[in-house]
Amino acid sequence: MRKRKTSYNWYKLLMCGLVFFVIGGTAFCMAAESKESAEKKARIEAELAAEAAEAEKAAERAVEKAAEEAERARKESFSVKPGVPAGTLDPDLNEKIVYLTFDDGPSENTQRILDILKEYNAKATFFITGSDEEHRPLIKTAYEEGHSIGLHTYSHNYSEVYASEEAYFNDLEKVGKTAEEQIGFVPYLIRFPGGSSNEVSAEYSPGIMSRLTEKVQEKGYQYYDWNVDSGDGSGAGAEEIKSRSATERYSHVMILFHDSSTKNETVEALPAVIDYYRERGYEFRAIDRKSFVSHHAVKN
């Protein structure tokens, strides 16, 4: 009887052992499988994260490349290129466009003008001089904010600039280098001191404007006059500037303003001028190769 009981006990122990072995083995397998599943999941997540990071980098590189190509194209378009046409004297009359143009800068007023333009999301064109070294970095600032940079004169001294054709182009080359130092190229846009219709030049070189208007275009430049004069060049106050700048005579309006340290009245009047044209459905654009070209009748 004792033997049977002992045998029975051993049987029970053996069965219990098998049960625990099966349960333990199952638990171990489940744990191992769970660990393997977690590791696999972690690997997949890491691979997906790496792929996403690489895709993001590739997208960033593509955006950077597109921006670089766009900037190269912009510089190419605005650079002096003999034989390449610039602008039209016969614009689309169904468009309503204002070209705000500022001569004589940069100056201590340039940043104020740029701030107003940014506030209104309006683009403009700056015909620069080389006289104010302190504010030259604002040439680059204006360009990077989407405005066009043109050449006006280095010295703005009529007796020097219009002494001869050689003197004019020496001055133009000098201000061109000033622009190139700031934006990396010499712009094709120019504005003659006094405009192409000035008669002061006749005091120094009779007939020079008739010759220069042809030669600058042969060299790849295009000159821009204006069809609206704000009057700030002759000392007009803010109210007169607003009045003289406002007109609906033209669908393509090119306004002459000045950007110098003495033109605070221009800065004061500018928001009202922009409001006037905005209310009448005009766009504000910087001059480019497709833009309207305003040419005066040459008088010398």
Side-chain angles (χ1 to χ4, degrees), residues 7-294:
S7 176
Y8 177 72
N9 287 340
W10 276 107
Y11 177 76
K12 286 172 64 178
L13 290 171
L14 179 62
M15 291 304 293
C16 287
L18 286 171
V19 170
F20 283 119
F21 177 78
V22 170
I23 293 172
T26 301
F28 177 80
C29 289
M30 289 177 67
E33 185 177 337
S34 176
K35 182 179 179 182
E36 183 179 349
S37 177
E39 290 175 349
K40 184 177 180 181
K41 183 180 178 182
R43 281 198 306 273
I44 292 172
E45 288 177 348
E47 288 171 0
L48 290 174
E51 289 175 1
E54 184 56 36
E56 185 177 352
K57 288 180 181 178
E60 289 175 356
R61 288 194 295 269
V63 169
E64 289 174 1
K65 185 178 180 181
E68 289 172 359
E69 290 176 352
E71 179 56 25
R72 278 197 296 270
R74 185 184 180 204
K75 287 184 176 181
E76 178 72 13
S77 176
F78 281 92
S79 296
V80 178
K81 290 185 289 187
V84 177
T88 177
L89 295 169
D90 186 26
D92 183 353
L93 299 181
N94 293 316
E95 295 181 316
K96 297 177 73 174
I97 301 171
V98 176
Y99 299 98
L100 303 170
T101 69
F102 297 87
D103 290 4
D104 299 354
S107 72
E108 60 189 56
N109 273 324
T110 305
Q111 188 59 60
R112 297 173 64 195
I113 293 170
L114 290 174
D115 290 342
I116 292 170
L117 295 173
K118 183 179 290 186
E119 179 183 351
Y120 281 88
N121 192 29
K123 301 306 179 188
T125 301
F126 292 83
F127 290 98
I128 65 167
T129 65
S131 57
D132 190 337
E133 291 187 30
E134 179 185 352
H135 293 98
R136 281 182 188 172
L138 288 171
I139 297 170
K140 183 178 181 181
T141 301
Y143 176 78
E144 290 180 343
E145 291 183 4
H147 306 291
S148 295
I149 304 300
L151 310 177
H152 189 37
T153 172
Y154 189 87
S155 66
H156 214 297
N157 185 325
Y158 282 57
S159 63
E160 292 181 12
V161 174
Y162 292 130
S164 66
E165 292 172 45
E166 182 182 4
Y168 174 80
F169 282 109
N170 285 341
D171 181 272
L172 186 64
E173 182 179 352
K174 198 171 181 182
V175 73
K177 287 181 179 178
T178 299
E180 188 173 24
E181 288 169 1
Q182 297 298 322
I183 59 178
F185 64 96
V186 178
Y188 78 89
L189 306 87
I190 66 172
R191 175 169 282 162
F192 293 112
S196 66
S197 59
N198 85 82
E199 297 178 77
V200 179
S201 57
E203 297 177 17
Y204 312 107
S205 183
I208 191 172
M209 297 313 303
S210 297
R211 298 190 296 273
L212 288 179
T213 51
E214 292 184 4
K215 289 196 173 181
V216 293
Q217 293 182 85
E218 290 172 4
K219 291 177 178 288
Y221 298 97
Q222 177 60 279
Y223 69 95
Y224 294 83
D225 291 314
W226 55 89
N227 55 14
V228 175
D229 183 352
S230 70
D232 66 347
S234 55
E239 291 305 316
E240 186 180 353
I241 291 171
K242 295 176 193 176
S243 175
R244 292 182 58 160
S245 300
T247 181
E248 291 187 82
R249 287 182 60 194
Y250 311 110
S251 61
H252 291 250
V253 181
M254 191 165 289
I255 309 177
L256 171 65
F257 292 110
H258 291 82
D259 168 21
S260 66
S261 60
T262 60
K263 301 305 177 185
N264 295 313
E265 301 287 344
T266 302
V267 179
E268 183 181 335
L270 185 57
V273 174
I274 295 174
D275 284 334
Y276 173 88
Y277 285 104
R278 274 270 165 83
E279 290 167 2
R280 287 157 180 78
Y282 284 80
E283 295 179 53
F284 291 85
R285 295 184 189 173
I287 296 173
D288 61 26
R289 284 191 180 270
K290 297 180 181 179
S291 300
F292 159 65
V293 176
S294 178

